[in-house]
């Protein structure tokens, strides 16, 4: 129903008032020009509807979304697949019977593993970007992961050879061989489907800790580290889904490939 505002803005009568001219509350005039009669009623009805209709309250979620985005990016880089072999060798030295090895030798081996599996691959990935073979060093595109997967498999294989040549137990070398298997599986799956390498890598750490818990003399604090690693795996998978890098199924598939590859390879003695 149109609102009659004539009582608030009465018509101005006078000798100079044109018969066909309306005041501000007439059907022809507005403050900014003429309004046709047929549109004036519609305009008033829209104004009333806008006034009476409840206006949706915009929730200020941008701050929380920025925090979630920042945390997801942070945890994705902290647990980048290339760093997982370093975490693995640290767990092996600190949580198994190999903690009796002199600290100097542990440090030297850890640096070699970091060089083979982290620094060298990162350098090669940056070179691939400079050559235009990949667009993003984060390797978020499915098609640009082929060469990095091959590099990762070779680095895991080099690590297995290195620890075996230094007299490490077979299960230590098999941990890195499990990384080779997971990388090759991811490589072939990636030809048709984008599987999560992050999930596969951290699931391999979980498999390592479970194998240590079952078959190797361990430190009492290993169970605590297992719980922490499982929690980090959940956070990492959630972060990859939050960032739209993977679907839930791609993350779950990564968990399955990484865990099974390392767990069953470490049965080889």
């Amino acid at each position: 129903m149109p609102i009659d505002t004539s009582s608030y803005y009465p018509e101005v009568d006078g000798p100079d008032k044109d018969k066909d001219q309306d005041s501000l509350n007439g059907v022809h005039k507005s403050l900014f020009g003429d309004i046709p009669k047929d549109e004036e009623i519609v305009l008033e009805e829209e104004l009333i509807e806008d006034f009476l209709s409840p206006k949706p309250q915009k929730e200020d979620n941008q701050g929380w979304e920025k925090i979630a985005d920042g945390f997801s990016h942070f945890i994705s880089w902290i647990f980048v697949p290339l760093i997982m072999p370093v975490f693995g060798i640290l767990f092996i030295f600190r949580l198994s019977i190999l903690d009796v090895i002199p600290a100097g030798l542990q440090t030297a081996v850890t640096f070699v593993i970091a060089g083979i599996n982290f620094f060298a691959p990162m350098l090669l990935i940056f070179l691939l970007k400079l050559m235009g073979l990949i667009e993003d060093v984060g390797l978020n595109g499915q098609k640009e992961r082929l060469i990095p997967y091959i590099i990762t498999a070779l680095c895991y294989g080099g690590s297995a050879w290195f620890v075996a040549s230094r007299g490490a137990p077979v299960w230590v070398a098999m941990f890195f061989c499990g990384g080779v298997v997971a990388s090759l599986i991811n490589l072939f799956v990636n030809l048709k489907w984008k599987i999560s390498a992050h999930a596969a890598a951290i699931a391999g750490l979980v498999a390592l800790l479970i194998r240590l818990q079952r078959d190797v003399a361990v430190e009492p604090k290993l169970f605590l580290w297992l719980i922490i690693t499982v929690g980090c795996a959940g956070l990492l998978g959630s972060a990859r889904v939050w960032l739209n890098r993977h679907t839930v199924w791609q993350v779950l598939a990564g968990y399955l490939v990484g865990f099974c590859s390392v767990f069953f390879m470490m049965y080889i003695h």
Side-chain angles (χ1 to χ4, degrees):
M1 176 185 296
I3 297 177
D4 185 7
T5 59
S6 60
S7 61
Y8 298 99
Y9 301 99
E11 301 288 344
V12 178
D13 296 325
D16 297 332
K17 181 178 181 299
D18 189 11
K19 181 182 293 186
D20 296 330
Q21 184 177 1
D22 296 312
S23 64
L24 291 178
N25 48 298
V27 296
H28 292 295
K29 294 288 185 179
S30 72
L31 290 174
F32 302 100
D34 296 343
I35 301 178
K37 287 184 177 181
D38 56 345
E39 294 183 7
E40 196 273 345
I41 298 176
V42 176
L43 178 61
E44 287 188 359
E45 291 178 348
E46 290 179 352
L47 291 174
I48 294 171
E49 184 179 355
D50 291 341
F51 179 78
L52 296 177
S53 301
K55 297 181 179 179
Q57 299 293 328
K58 294 183 179 180
E59 298 182 1
D60 187 13
N61 291 330
Q62 293 183 353
W64 289 107
E65 289 180 357
K66 289 182 179 179
I67 293 175
D69 288 343
F71 176 77
S72 297
H73 282 293
F74 173 77
I75 198 171
S76 293
W77 281 107
I78 289 295
F79 295 110
V80 67
L82 298 179
I83 202 67
M84 294 305 177
V86 181
F87 290 146
I89 198 67
L90 289 174
F91 284 155
I92 289 170
F93 281 142
R94 301 297 181 181
L95 302 176
S96 75
I97 195 174
L98 297 183
D99 63 350
V100 299
I101 295 176
L105 182 57
Q106 291 185 23
T107 302
V109 172
T110 301
F111 273 109
V112 171
I113 295 298
I116 295 174
N117 294 277
F118 182 75
F119 294 108
M122 284 298 295
L123 178 60
L124 291 174
I125 290 172
F126 276 111
L127 289 176
L128 291 174
K129 180 174 174 55
L130 292 176
M131 295 169 61
L133 297 177
I134 61 174
E135 296 181 0
D136 181 14
V137 294
L139 303 176
N140 293 312
Q142 179 181 350
K143 295 182 179 180
E144 60 188 9
R145 292 186 170 196
L146 178 61
I147 298 177
Y149 273 136
I150 296 174
I151 293 172
T152 302
L154 292 174
C155 291
Y156 273 112
S159 299
W161 173 84
F162 170 74
V163 296
S165 66
R166 294 299 181 270
V170 175
W171 60 266
V172 177
M174 288 300 103
F175 163 70
F176 293 104
C177 289
V180 175
V181 174
S183 298
L184 293 177
I185 294 175
N186 287 345
L187 186 153
F188 287 109
V189 171
N190 188 74
L191 297 176
K192 296 294 184 179
W193 195 52
K194 186 183 176 185
I195 193 170
S196 176
H198 280 78
I202 199 166
L205 284 184
V206 175
L208 168 66
L209 293 176
I210 291 177
R211 296 293 289 125
L212 292 179
Q213 180 78 32
R214 291 177 51 135
D215 300 326
V216 184
V218 298
E219 296 288 335
K221 55 187 177 182
L222 184 144
F223 185 73
L224 174 61
W225 279 106
L226 175 59
I227 298 301
I228 293 174
T229 305
V230 170
C232 290
L235 288 175
L236 181 59
S238 301
R240 303 306 290 171
V241 174
W242 173 267
L243 294 174
N244 292 323
R245 299 291 188 261
H246 295 284
T247 65
V248 173
W249 288 111
Q250 290 169 349
V251 170
L252 293 177
Y255 287 149
L256 181 64
V257 169
F259 183 88
C260 291
S261 298
V262 172
F263 187 82
F264 292 112
M265 286 298 293
M266 288 186 67
Y267 269 112
I268 300 176
H269 293 287

